[in-house]
Amino acid sequence: MKKNSIKLLIIGTAFASVLSGCGDGWFERDPKNILTNEQVWNDPNMVKSQLANLYNRITHLHGDFNTGGMTEIDDAMWCGALDGNGRNNFQYGNDYGRLWDYGLMRDINMSIENLETYGTELTEEEKSLFKAEFRFIRAYIYFDMVRRMGGVPLITSTLEYDYSGDPSYLQHPRAKEHEVYDFVYSECEAVKNDLKANAGSQTRANYFTALALESRAMLYAASIAKYNALYTPTLVTDGGEVGIPASMADDYYRKSLAASKEIIKDGGYDLYNKNADKGVNFYKLFMDKEKNPEIIWAKDYKNPVKVHSFGFDNVIQHLKEDNENSSCIGPSLGLVEAFDYLDGTPGKLKYMDENNNYKVFDNPADLFANKDARLYGTVIYPGTKYRGSDVDIQAGVAVWNDEKQDYDLLSDPTLGSTYTDGKTYVGQDGPLDGAQNVSNTGFYIRKYISDEVGFTLRNYEENWWPWFRLGEIYLNAAEASFELGDEDPGALFYINKLRERAGFPANSLTSLTLEKIQNERRVEMAFEDQRYFDLKRWRIADDVWDGDESENSTAVVYGLYPYRIAKAKPGTNDTDKYIFVKHRSSRFILARMFRMSNYYSSIADDVINNNPLIVKNPLQ
């Protein structure tokens, strides 16, 4: 059989039927379970099937509902049970995030070549569209490789060994880092017009999907060009496989901004704004698949054909249905405090007074009042609701101790337990320090978690994973504009549009810094597989995740525990009110340590051994 033929295995009764028909001349007949290249590549449905396969194989680090991975690279800790706490007790290895998938690249290159060679009966419009989609997928994967590895070999045709004993002609060196980004840009430019035939699709690449990749990839290239030279100047190789000249930064920023502006102006997309309640609105953005105006491109799920289990893994503890393992993601206090107050003040929660005494709250939700509405859409916090029910987040009780002149903080290992006063001791949703399948931080994730009854039953969840959405494009435009000296209409315009959607008054910001842009990305894009790569491209990951174990470390995931006052301080009326205590879970063992060697993942030894032209990454 030719190397490029596609086999279709016939099973069950159909296969039995074929065998029962064997008679004279059977072995002279053409096989019935093999389709020729001509049959495959001239059938639009077969070509779409191959495209669907490749769309489904698009690479990502921990996106596409990877629960455990999210706790390694975003603002959360692992609270589940399945991996024995390893995600809270690890350091980023030099191979962390490694991606060198030339098997997948071969499949894409082969598809492009076969389409061109055998697809003679397709219309020119069909062939152009299919080829453009294959090339877009290839460009996206090259982008994913370069942002992890630096420059990689640019292979755009199928490589075949001739069994001569000399494989050297198959050995390709790594391209310069900027050459891979340039390839991604040129491919998007080359195919974007052919992708117009997919106009309106949110699950197949179209014209604006190509622009969205330009918007993101060019921003990455620009950031590396600028900030590698400033903060990590030793992370270069002599041949340019790692490191982009600082002189190239502005051109990349301009390309990113141009793509972003075109999407915003001409794409027909809009920021999701269907609900008057801004918190509910932000939550629904990720759940609403009915004419959602913000989604540019998403990986779709549809029960029973293709489903995921993210909600099954992460639904709030006391409302789980048949889940044994749940509540795995515990969002951090640091993330919660990154959301500003609506009056514009920084988001640090005010649970202690100026004398470092507990503040007392009638209701736990009062602490989070008047916060950026994106907090509600992202995190389930004490005193709020989920699926129309009050969440039950209480770590224990506070009992006044006259001798200490302070509160004793008491807890119990049983969720939903009752204290001696007949009221709640520990809530049904914890938090419980050191426990499994219950929050250890006092927070649960709301983003992506359906509020429909029964959704957490296995093989049910079908909300989509957004690869590109307009909110990111606004952020990309703001950052590129800021870096270019605030080109019209200005970075503030884009940032304030997002903040207005989150409940802030119009033009809530009047000045902007890079740190403010970075924080806006943190809160807008939480748990969207962006945080890790943003910290890398800004070259601040080694500062944020610096291994510091101190009280105010940004490398430690802290929680915030609410306690009901069971016995109040004499002279107060605080019984059954609440105080909050900052807490580090005993399960979070090691502060995150991002080393300089983690900016570029190491290249596997077998790759280097098989190809002497491959240059190692710095510090490998």
Side-chain angles (χ1 to χ4, degrees):
M1 187 182 68
K2 292 180 180 179
K3 63 181 176 64
N4 294 340
S5 296
I6 294 179
K7 286 185 177 181
L8 298 180
L9 300 180
I10 303 174
I11 61 175
T13 57
F15 187 60
S17 175
V18 169
L19 292 179
S20 67
C22 293
D24 293 341
W26 169 255
F27 292 105
E28 285 74 41
R29 298 178 184 178
D30 290 335
K32 302 301 183 183
N33 65 333
I34 297 176
L35 295 178
T36 66
N37 282 308
E38 288 78 6
Q39 289 173 306
V40 171
W41 296 101
N42 285 300
D43 183 341
N45 288 327
M46 292 295 293
V47 179
K48 288 178 184 177
S49 177
Q50 175 67 346
L51 274 170
N53 174 274
L54 293 172
Y55 274 121
N56 194 53
R57 293 165 64 190
I58 284 174
T59 57
H60 51 80
L61 184 51
H62 293 312
D64 195 16
F65 302 117
N66 186 325
T67 292
M70 286 184 185
T71 64
E72 296 176 358
I73 63 170
D74 220 308
D75 288 302
M77 66 168 284
W78 173 258
C79 299
L82 295 180
D83 77 339
N85 205 50
R87 299 184 188 280
N88 298 319
N89 187 21
F90 85 110
Q91 302 289 359
Y92 300 105
N94 284 359
D95 62 345
Y96 193 84
R98 178 188 289 164
L99 178 62
W100 197 272
D101 195 345
Y102 283 92
L104 175 56
M105 203 59 70
R106 175 185 172 84
D107 289 348
I108 299 171
N109 289 333
M110 187 181 294
S111 297
I112 294 170
E113 292 167 6
N114 286 348
L115 181 67
E116 192 63 40
T117 301
Y118 299 107
T120 56
E121 297 176 20
L122 297 174
T123 67
E124 284 305 312
E125 291 77 11
E126 287 173 327
K127 185 184 288 188
S128 295
L129 173 59
F130 293 150
K131 186 175 180 180
E133 287 186 84
F134 286 124
R135 290 175 67 181
F136 170 81
I137 294 170
R138 183 175 64 185
Y140 186 93
I141 295 168
Y142 268 120
F143 163 64
D144 198 18
M145 284 205 282
V146 72
R147 67 176 176 169
R148 304 195 209 186
M149 311 300 301
V152 295
L154 281 171
I155 309 298
T156 57
S157 60
T158 303
L159 302 180
E160 293 294 338
Y161 181 48
D162 61 9
Y163 297 97
S164 65
D166 178 15
S168 61
Y169 69 97
L170 298 175
Q171 296 167 346
H172 289 249
R174 297 173 64 184
K176 299 179 189 295
E177 186 170 8
H178 77 81
E179 289 174 340
V180 183
Y181 281 104
D182 293 342
F183 173 79
V184 171
Y185 180 79
S186 63
E187 283 291 279
C188 288
E189 284 291 288
V191 305
K192 65 182 184 183
N193 286 318
D194 288 333
L195 292 172
K196 286 181 177 178
N198 281 342
S201 175
Q202 292 174 297
T203 56
R204 292 174 66 181
N206 62 40
Y207 178 89
F208 294 103
T209 309
L211 289 180
L213 179 52
E214 290 183 15
S215 170
R216 183 187 291 178
M218 295 302 96
L219 187 65
Y220 275 59
S223 304
I224 293 166
K226 179 172 183 176
Y227 293 108
N228 194 64
L230 286 175
Y231 301 137
T232 54
T234 60
L235 290 182
V236 294
T237 56
D238 292 341
E241 297 88 356
V242 167
I244 300 176
S247 60
M248 302 180 75
D250 280 0
D251 182 57
Y252 286 129
Y253 281 126
R254 280 191 287 270
K255 287 175 178 174
S256 175
L257 181 58
S260 300
K261 281 185 170 181
E262 186 173 355
I263 295 169
I264 293 168
K265 179 176 180 291
D266 300 327
Y269 303 99
D270 203 358
L271 295 177
Y272 188 88
N273 239 331
K274 293 186 180 182
N275 294 273
D277 184 311
K278 298 296 187 181
V280 172
N281 183 72
F282 191 71
Y283 164 71
K284 289 293 186 182
L285 157 61
F286 301 94
M287 309 306 298
D288 185 358
K289 293 164 65 173
E290 183 65 31
K291 297 181 179 178
N292 188 321
E294 182 156 343
I295 302 301
I296 299 171
W297 182 45
K299 183 173 182 177
D300 202 7
Y301 289 84
K302 184 66 177 176
N303 185 44
V305 178
K306 183 170 65 173
V307 295
H308 64 85
S309 59
F310 188 78
F312 181 90
D313 291 338
N314 291 294
V315 64
I316 191 167
Q317 216 283 336
H318 92 273
L319 291 177
K320 66 182 183 179
E321 284 147 318
D322 70 348
N323 331 30
E324 292 183 5
N325 189 64
S326 67
S327 313
C328 296
I329 292 178
S332 71
L333 174 60
L335 174 62
V336 172
E337 292 191 321
F339 293 86
D340 288 345
Y341 288 95
L342 294 177
D343 64 4
T345 56
K348 187 173 178 60
L349 293 170
K350 304 171 179 65
Y351 51 89
M352 306 293 285
D353 66 19
E354 60 277 4
N355 296 316
N356 207 33
N357 296 315
Y358 297 121
K359 284 190 172 183
V360 178
F361 300 88
D362 292 336
N363 185 295
D366 295 343
L367 176 61
F368 308 92
N370 300 314
K371 272 270 201 172
D372 181 332
R374 289 172 291 192
L375 173 61
Y376 176 91
T378 305
V379 175
I380 297 175
Y381 50 82
T384 190
K385 292 181 180 292
Y386 167 72
R387 200 192 291 163
S389 300
D390 292 330
V391 301
D392 193 14
I393 300 176
Q394 180 181 314
V397 296
V399 177
W400 183 257
N401 186 319
D402 286 325
E403 184 177 342
K404 289 170 45 180
Q405 286 295 291
D406 200 358
Y407 281 107
D408 289 329
L409 303 176
L410 309 180
S411 190
D412 184 84
T414 304
L415 296 175
S417 56
T418 301
Y419 191 57
T420 56
D421 61 2
K423 299 176 183 177
T424 300
Y425 195 170
V426 171
Q428 297 176 82
D429 299 313
L432 278 180
D433 178 68
Q436 298 179 342
N437 300 328
V438 63
S439 176
N440 278 222
T441 65
F443 305 108
Y444 288 83
I445 185 171
R446 188 190 301 272
K447 203 173 201 178
Y448 311 120
I449 310 297
S450 175
D451 58 4
E452 295 180 10
V453 175
F455 86 95
T456 61
L457 301 176
R458 288 186 184 276
N459 300 325
Y460 179 83
E461 296 155 72
E462 56 183 11
N463 54 300
W464 54 16
W465 176 268
W467 292 118
F468 292 123
R469 64 180 179 89
L470 191 62
E472 179 196 347
I473 304 304
Y474 270 86
L475 288 166
N476 295 349
E479 185 176 341
S481 181
F482 176 84
E483 295 284 10
L484 290 168
D486 217 22
E487 294 191 3
D488 184 69
L492 277 171
F493 169 80
Y494 300 112
I495 291 290
N496 280 328
K497 287 285 286 185
L498 284 175
R499 286 168 63 87
E500 189 173 348
R501 195 256 297 270
F504 291 91
N507 303 313
S508 59
L509 289 179
T510 57
S511 62
L512 206 54
T513 63
L514 178 60
E515 290 73 22
K516 187 59 191 172
I517 293 172
Q518 291 170 343
N519 194 69
E520 286 295 318
R521 287 190 74 94
R522 183 183 186 184
V523 298
E524 176 76 23
M525 308 297 294
F527 305 115
E528 295 186 47
D529 206 25
Q530 299 266 8
R531 177 73 171 158
Y532 176 83
F533 292 110
D534 281 342
L535 295 179
K536 283 181 62 173
R537 67 182 177 86
W538 292 319
R539 293 301 195 251
I540 61 173
D542 60 308
D543 286 332
V544 174
W545 295 330
D546 60 1
D548 181 12
E549 298 280 359
S550 66
E551 175 67 20
N552 295 315
S553 172
T554 56
V556 174
V557 172
Y558 292 100
L560 192 67
Y561 282 16
Y563 289 84
R564 179 178 63 85
I565 299 175
K567 179 183 176 184
K569 179 180 179 180
T572 69
N573 189 29
D574 292 342
T575 300
D576 291 335
K577 296 182 181 181
Y578 295 86
I579 61 173
F580 286 84
V581 179
K582 183 177 179 180
H583 182 79
R584 175 177 176 173
S585 171
S586 59
R587 289 190 66 181
F588 194 85
I589 297 173
L590 288 177
R592 287 179 178 160
M593 172 69 84
F594 186 99
R595 298 172 175 84
M596 294 287 284
S597 58
N598 297 132
Y599 279 110
Y600 294 94
S601 301
S602 64
I603 300 171
D605 288 342
D606 63 331
V607 171
I608 295 172
N609 292 338
N610 291 331
N611 184 355
L613 300 180
I614 296 297
V615 176
K616 290 183 178 181
N617 274 334
L619 306 177
Q620 179 173 346

